[in-house]
Amino acid sequence: MPPSFADVILPVPIPKMFTYRIPRSLESSVGIGYRVIVQFGKKKVLTGIIGKVHKKPPKEYEAKPILDLLDDYPVVNPLQIKFWFWMAEYYCCHIGEVMNAALPTGLKLSSESKIQLNPKFDFVSNEFPIDDREQVILDALESKDELSYEDCGKLLGVKSSYAIIKSLVLKEAVLVYEQVKEKYSPKVESRIKLTEPYTSSKEELEKLFEQISKKPKQEEILLKYLQEVPVHKFPEKNKNGLDKKTITDAGLSLSSLKTLIKNKVLEEFKVVISRFDELAGYDHPIELADFQEEGLQNIKTEFEQKQTVLLHGITGSGKTEIYIKLIQEVLESGSQVLLLLPEIALTTQIVSRLQKVFGSQMGIFHSKYSDNERVEVWQGVLSGRFSFVVGVRSSVFLPFDSLGMVIVDEEHEASYKQFDPAPRFQARDAAIMLSWLHQSKTLLGSATPSFESFYNARMKKYGYVHLNKRFGEAQLPEYHLSDILVDKKKNLLKLDFTRLMREKIQEALNQQEQALIFQNRRGYAPYMSCEECGWIPECEHCDVSLTYHQYSEEMRCHYCGFKEKVPRACPACGSHKLTTVGMGTERIAESLSLLFPEARIGRMDLDTTRSKYAYQKILEDFGAGNLDILVGTQMITKGLDFDRVTVVGIVDADRILYFPDFRAGERAFQQITQVAGRAGRRNRHGSVVIQTRKPDNDIFHQIIQGNYEHFYINEMSERQRFFYPPFVKTLKITTKHKEIKIAERASKHLSNLLKDIPVKKIILGPEKALIGKIKNQYLFDILIKLDKSNNAPALFKHELAMVLEELKSQKDFKSVRFTVDVDPY
DNA sequence: AGCACGCCGACT
DNA sequence: GTCGGCGTGCTC
């Protein structure tokens, strides 16, 4: 038998797999998707995933052997591997980067170099002298068995301890070895149980009680145990024992418990438990209104023809109920279901709603979950415990093996697109691909579909179902446009609130109703400015002004996290007249508390929801009526469904509308409609107040009339004329370097090379990026608009990859970073 | 991305 | 003189 080889995917940004030899001993037990340990480079040990198994020995090098197998089952299935490769190709990144994003951290291992004393080392008759710094390391190793390179560096106060360690190795004083650590640790519970003979014989137990009658604390524990676990009535219950916590929580003595264990009366044992509670789903039937039932039937009919269906349902039309029906059917047929939600909707009512129906067969995949929790969701899908997962963007990577349906709720949400580390994927689009690989169906749901999806629906690529009724007696809210400039002239603008806005909020407060105030900017004020000379504090490392955060008395950069104290005086002219310009949520909340001193005001934005349950806490407070007004960013537009909200205020609609991006209009329509949808659900009618400087902008009237289609047609003619998506495919390449000249030159050079690629396209730029400098790196953008026909995008990407490889190998551009963003936002 | 090797400046 | 800065090349 010739030897077998495995192409292993490793978490390194190199565009290929690495071929390793499969040792005979592992030959029968490995395959695609297994986690393996391999040596990479001189000593680094990494975990990788087998992407392919074959018999072709590599010609140019000797393959190293696979060192070990981590599990006795594949962690990733072949469908996922296909999906990874598709993603790497489509989003122009490396397979290792996809793997990195796909595997929960807990399943990734990497080794750490450790040093230990060489037991053979003879300190006395040592032929080489040990210097002071080496001695420090050796002394430290006297008390600790092992040290990492980092520990050594800290000990010596130097950045790199490499040279010293190398010298010690040479002198044979220490040994270097690699330690791989499994990051995932199961949650264990300590339990106790009664030992023999006390379990089987009542007499023995009685004897025992006599013996310990003088030790009341021990007696107490024993009584507690027997009360919780009636051993003699139900002998089998002893096997499972009792959680140790039950004893300690009852305030009983831990040391007495230890004595009982030491005396072999009780026995301690450990069990692995789940991090998720078992919840029973109630099977209460979901009642659909006639129009929802009709929608459901239409979806099914569309699915007969199309793989993907767009469900266009206005806010309050009850899309969730339709989802539930569909999910139930798919689950009953034995297939799996994935429901994608935008991150910020995941902690809300929809999840608890679903949990009530689906109980513990439903897994939740959160971005705030710990690494261990993520591994458990992963394992849960693998083992079949979860046949249904509700999750964020990254849950498309879970190890499903037989998806029957993927639902993407709020399909238009920009947060489905990942920007920063590669893969820069759009989860909605990836979900459609994933679903296709499973030969399953995809349902996209939205009240304000993305133009891409709506376009696909109109082109008959997707099926289309429209729900335009609201459930129950819910009415659409009444819109009011409030002109900021008019009020300002008449001196009616108080603390940035127009008279109409203040009146509406006051009315709500008078009626014990609630108000939601939307402002898409966190912090106190976007920036500060000197009244005398116009100086504006800017970030030292980025090309942006610093945001003023009042609460922490700081100026912060939202791009690199840089912060500094608020300047006392203007460094340019010495003036003390520094004022804040513009408004963030923090300032809005402050203004409201001045305008409505009696109101209880809450704020919800990135700064107030950093901790795991902060979001839920604020929502619960609001839901319970402990708050009258909630101020927030986008976060408040999602999944909130509170009866008492009758007023929704948009403080600065122009900020959304006049954004330098071709999608600004689309986004404004979506955002305003979404926030507005929070007003007056059920039988109360609500008001939406929009503050703007240009109330006659046509877009407002289309939003008010809810005329999505009209709006769409208008905007699309513009997009067609100027070659914007969805008429073309776009691709953005950012060039980054710490020297502006080099960054610019590299970008120019690249754009010239791209011009030669024989594909129908438009190349724009290079141009200084919107934010020209971030973290001391200068950025230049090239935007490419690709013809969608004839496979042009794929051809172009292929050529691009080669051009980039070539460019990177030129020595002038060695340290230049290129990032490719396909379908950027 | 790490990590090792190699070639130059500022210090005991 | 050396330490240690980081530029460059390589990883099956």
Side-chain angles (χ1 to χ4, degrees):
Chain A
M1 271 277 277
S4 298
F5 296 91
D7 291 345
V8 178
I9 305 168
L10 293 174
V12 287
I14 303 163
K16 58 175 180 179
M17 296 197 277
F18 294 84
T19 308
Y20 286 86
R21 184 168 51 77
I22 302 174
R24 278 276 131 82
S25 56
L26 296 177
E27 206 148 34
S28 57
S29 42
V30 298
I32 290 182
Y34 279 80
R35 283 200 302 168
V36 290
I37 297 185
V38 293
Q39 192 180 59
F40 186 69
K42 284 231 163 73
K43 51 180 219 164
K44 195 87 193 158
V45 180
L46 296 173
T47 4
I49 298 272
I50 296 184
K52 196 179 165 188
V53 177
H54 58 86
K55 295 263 172 200
K56 239 174 34 216
K59 290 186 192 83
E60 273 118 71
Y61 51 87
E62 179 81 17
K64 285 182 185 171
I66 287 174
L67 297 179
D68 211 349
L69 208 58
L70 278 156
D71 319 276
D72 47 16
Y73 54 92
V75 175
V76 174
N77 63 49
L79 232 47
Q80 284 177 282
I81 303 270
K82 266 197 195 165
F83 181 57
W84 290 4
F85 275 100
W86 166 80
M87 188 174 276
E89 196 174 306
Y90 187 90
Y91 290 104
C92 298
C93 66
H94 305 131
I95 189 70
E97 292 173 313
V98 179
M99 180 179 79
N100 241 343
L103 288 182
T105 327
L107 289 179
K108 287 179 276 193
L109 316 164
S110 82
S111 68
E112 195 182 14
S113 297
K114 293 274 175 89
I115 61 167
Q116 64 172 61
L117 277 180
N118 184 351
K120 288 185 200 138
F121 182 61
D122 184 352
F123 283 93
V124 189
S125 66
N126 166 30
E127 48 184 312
F128 305 106
I130 299 284
D131 73 23
D132 288 355
R133 298 209 294 186
E134 289 167 4
Q135 197 58 53
V136 171
I137 303 286
L138 293 180
D139 289 347
L141 281 171
E142 289 291 325
S143 53
K144 272 184 96 176
D145 284 347
E146 52 174 45
L147 289 172
S148 68
Y149 278 37
E150 208 191 332
D151 295 337
C152 294
K154 268 190 214 143
L155 232 41
L156 300 167
V158 292
K159 262 192 184 170
S160 159
S161 53
Y162 173 69
I164 295 141
I165 291 168
K166 196 176 161 188
S167 153
L168 280 168
V169 172
L170 221 68
K171 291 171 187 169
E172 297 185 329
V174 298
L175 298 173
V176 177
Y177 65 101
E178 295 291 308
Q179 193 180 60
V180 236
K181 38 177 196 259
E182 180 84 69
K183 287 180 192 142
Y184 168 70
S185 51
K187 190 170 176 181
V188 281
E189 189 175 81
S190 285
R191 300 183 74 87
I192 46 168
K193 63 182 176 192
L194 199 61
T195 56
E196 284 296 335
Y198 312 112
T199 39
S200 45
S201 141
K202 264 197 168 152
E203 292 76 54
E204 289 290 338
L205 193 63
E206 272 160 23
K207 257 195 245 163
L208 176 68
F209 269 105
E210 270 167 42
Q211 280 167 26
I212 63 167
S213 61
K214 290 192 194 84
K215 292 162 184 144
K217 282 188 176 168
Q218 291 185 30
E219 194 176 14
E220 231 181 328
I221 291 171
L222 218 48
L223 283 169
K224 174 80 182 168
Y225 182 83
L226 291 172
Q227 180 198 332
E228 296 283 336
V229 188
V231 176
H232 291 281
K233 232 182 194 165
F234 307 102
E236 72 285 353
K237 279 206 166 170
N238 188 55
K239 210 164 61 186
N240 202 13
L242 182 68
D243 184 2
K244 207 169 149 188
K245 270 218 255 41
T246 324
I247 302 290
T248 46
D249 285 354
L252 302 173
S253 152
L254 183 66
S255 64
S256 305
L257 177 63
K258 280 187 178 149
T259 312
L260 283 168
I261 293 167
K262 205 178 75 199
N263 294 341
K264 303 231 160 73
V265 175
L266 293 172
E267 178 187 352
E268 188 173 359
F269 63 107
K270 297 197 189 300
V271 272
V272 174
I273 58 161
S274 167
R275 286 185 165 80
F276 305 109
D277 297 331
E278 283 292 331
L279 288 165
Y282 323 35
D283 204 15
H284 60 80
I286 302 287
E287 286 292 327
L288 292 188
D290 287 349
F291 74 98
Q292 291 174 312
E293 185 59 45
E294 194 187 320
L296 177 65
Q297 291 314 320
N298 287 342
I299 292 170
K300 289 191 201 163
T301 314
E302 292 283 51
F303 272 140
E304 286 167 18
Q305 303 290 326
K306 304 273 168 40
Q307 196 232 165
T308 307
V309 171
L310 173 63
L311 172 60
H312 184 181
I314 59 169
T315 51
S317 59
K319 291 191 288 292
T320 312
E321 285 76 28
I322 294 180
Y323 296 160
I324 291 174
K325 281 281 185 192
L326 281 166
I327 296 165
Q328 281 173 332
E329 282 180 30
V330 177
L331 291 178
E332 274 161 29
S333 78
S335 294
Q336 298 161 315
V337 179
L338 169 63
L339 170 60
L340 291 183
L341 289 176
E343 197 153 315
I344 41 184
L346 207 60
T347 29
T348 53
Q349 294 139 327
I350 182 166
V351 173
S352 44
R353 177 77 198 286
L354 291 167
Q355 201 147 39
K356 274 184 197 136
V357 179
F358 295 101
S360 54
Q361 63 178 321
M362 175 178 113
I364 304 172
F365 200 66
H366 232 237
S367 57
K368 285 193 173 160
Y369 271 177
S370 70
D371 290 339
N372 282 328
E373 286 169 319
R374 284 160 193 251
V375 174
E376 282 190 25
V377 179
W378 183 286
Q379 305 290 17
V381 173
L382 212 54
S383 71
R385 175 179 171 191
F386 300 131
S387 44
F388 168 38
V389 174
V390 185
V392 290
R393 193 169 65 211
S394 52
S395 46
V396 294
F397 293 120
L398 290 168
F400 299 103
D401 57 8
S402 65
L403 277 172
M405 182 169 296
V406 180
I407 302 173
V408 185
D409 190 31
E410 311 266 15
E411 150 297 312
H412 62 278
E413 262 298 299
S415 65
Y416 281 126
K417 176 76 188 319
Q418 167 149 323
F419 306 87
D420 209 17
R424 297 177 175 76
F425 67 105
Q426 161 48 281
R428 178 232 303 145
D429 301 343
I432 292 171
M433 177 43 80
L434 179 71
S435 182
W436 186 82
L437 288 171
H438 283 263
Q439 293 298 302
S440 107
K441 303 289 178 193
T442 312
L443 182 66
L444 307 177
S446 177
T448 50
S450 65
F451 278 16
E452 279 83 353
S453 299
F454 199 66
Y455 175 78
N456 283 328
R458 285 171 61 104
M459 290 291 145
K460 306 283 177 216
K461 202 174 148 196
Y462 297 170
Y464 179 74
V465 175
H466 196 184
L467 288 182
N468 52 7
K469 281 206 190 110
R470 279 187 135 188
F471 190 76
E473 291 152 73
Q475 297 163 26
L476 281 167
E478 190 183 316
Y479 283 87
H480 306 271
L481 288 170
S482 189
D483 193 325
I484 299 176
L485 295 177
V486 168
D487 271 35
K488 201 170 193 173
K489 242 181 246 159
K490 295 190 190 155
N491 230 349
L492 290 170
L493 195 69
K494 285 190 187 154
L495 297 164
D496 304 310
F497 285 85
T498 59
R499 186 174 71 180
L500 183 68
M501 179 80 96
R502 296 196 309 273
E503 283 172 1
K504 287 289 175 190
I505 296 173
Q506 190 61 58
E507 269 173 41
L509 294 175
N510 293 346
Q511 307 283 320
Q512 324 287 314
E513 293 165 347
Q514 292 174 307
L516 272 179
I517 306 297
F518 175 75
Q519 169 68 347
N520 215 359
R521 173 94 208 193
R522 69 190 167 99
Y524 185 83
Y527 55 97
M528 274 191 129
S529 171
C530 169
E531 280 185 36
E532 299 284 333
C533 71
W535 173 81
I536 293 168
E538 283 170 1
C539 178
E540 290 173 22
H541 314 290
C542 311
D543 202 359
V544 291
S545 54
L546 294 170
T547 302
Y548 174 55
H549 286 245
Q550 189 195 39
Y551 177 75
S552 50
E553 290 271 320
E554 278 170 347
M555 306 296 299
R556 270 190 230 162
C557 173
H558 287 183
Y559 286 84
C560 72
F562 172 81
K563 43 188 165 180
E564 63 177 20
K565 285 275 144 210
V566 177
R568 296 249 174 91
C570 170
C573 70
S575 160
H576 286 261
K577 285 189 178 167
L578 290 170
T579 46
T580 54
V581 184
M583 45 199 170
T585 43
E586 207 181 321
R587 173 153 162 199
I588 304 261
E590 185 193 84
S591 300
L592 285 167
S593 65
L594 294 170
L595 292 168
F596 308 102
E598 77 285 7
R600 294 158 301 171
I601 297 161
R603 175 162 67 97
M604 188 158 78
D605 54 33
L606 204 71
D607 297 309
T608 60
T609 55
R610 280 187 208 278
S611 67
K612 198 168 178 177
Y613 297 109
Y615 186 86
Q616 244 163 322
K617 172 88 180 61
I618 297 171
L619 286 187
E620 273 164 24
D621 270 356
F622 191 63
N626 299 332
L627 295 170
D628 303 306
I629 306 177
L630 183 63
V631 182
T633 55
Q634 312 223 43
M635 284 186 186
I636 62 167
T637 65
K638 289 284 120 40
L640 281 164
D641 190 359
F642 295 117
D643 281 352
R644 261 179 301 216
V645 176
T646 52
V647 173
V648 164
I650 296 167
V651 184
D652 187 0
D654 304 341
R655 231 192 89 80
I656 319 171
L657 203 48
Y658 301 101
F659 200 79
D661 178 304
F662 72 93
R663 251 182 264 262
E666 180 188 343
R667 225 176 267 156
F669 193 102
Q670 287 162 350
Q671 280 189 4
I672 295 173
T673 309
Q674 291 279 337
V675 213
R678 305 299 125 210
R681 312 198 78 168
R682 300 292 137 80
N683 40 21
R684 303 178 193 226
H685 82 101
S687 303
V688 178
V689 184
I690 302 173
Q691 294 192 167
T692 170
R693 287 165 198 83
K694 290 192 179 171
D696 40 2
N697 189 322
D698 195 40
I699 193 173
F700 291 128
H701 301 103
Q702 285 168 25
I703 291 172
I704 291 169
Q705 286 158 20
N707 201 340
Y708 175 86
E709 204 154 328
H710 185 219
F711 170 70
Y712 167 86
I713 290 165
N714 272 354
E715 286 272 313
M716 286 297 264
S717 69
E718 295 280 292
R719 289 206 190 174
Q720 187 158 31
R721 200 140 54 96
F722 298 110
F723 301 107
Y724 277 117
F727 296 101
V728 293
K729 198 150 248 318
T730 58
L731 211 139
K732 190 175 81 179
I733 306 172
T734 306
T735 306
K736 189 163 84 174
H737 196 268
K738 61 176 188 294
E739 280 174 64
I740 186 163
K741 283 261 165 56
I742 296 181
E744 189 172 16
R745 249 188 36 232
S747 196
K748 277 230 172 76
H749 193 63
L750 173 62
S751 111
N752 285 332
L753 291 174
L754 296 180
K755 284 192 182 112
D756 297 336
I757 299 177
V759 156
K760 203 169 151 199
K761 65 191 175 307
I762 302 169
I763 298 180
L764 301 173
E767 215 179 313
K768 203 171 145 217
L770 199 62
I771 292 158
K773 186 175 91 172
I774 294 177
K775 296 181 189 166
N776 288 322
Q777 303 264 327
Y778 291 89
L779 308 172
F780 284 83
D781 284 345
I782 301 172
L783 187 74
I784 300 136
K785 296 177 178 179
L786 293 164
D787 180 33
K788 288 174 89 176
S789 55
N790 302 324
N791 211 20
L795 276 170
F796 183 85
K797 285 178 202 167
H798 183 75
E799 294 289 320
L800 169 66
M802 298 203 290
V803 168
L804 284 177
E805 280 310 305
E806 191 191 309
L807 213 56
K808 277 185 216 162
S809 65
Q810 283 178 27
K811 60 174 176 298
D812 303 16
F813 302 139
K814 273 277 153 57
S815 50
V816 178
R817 307 235 59 101
F818 299 96
T819 50
V820 182
D821 194 347
V822 179
D823 309 329
Y825 262 63

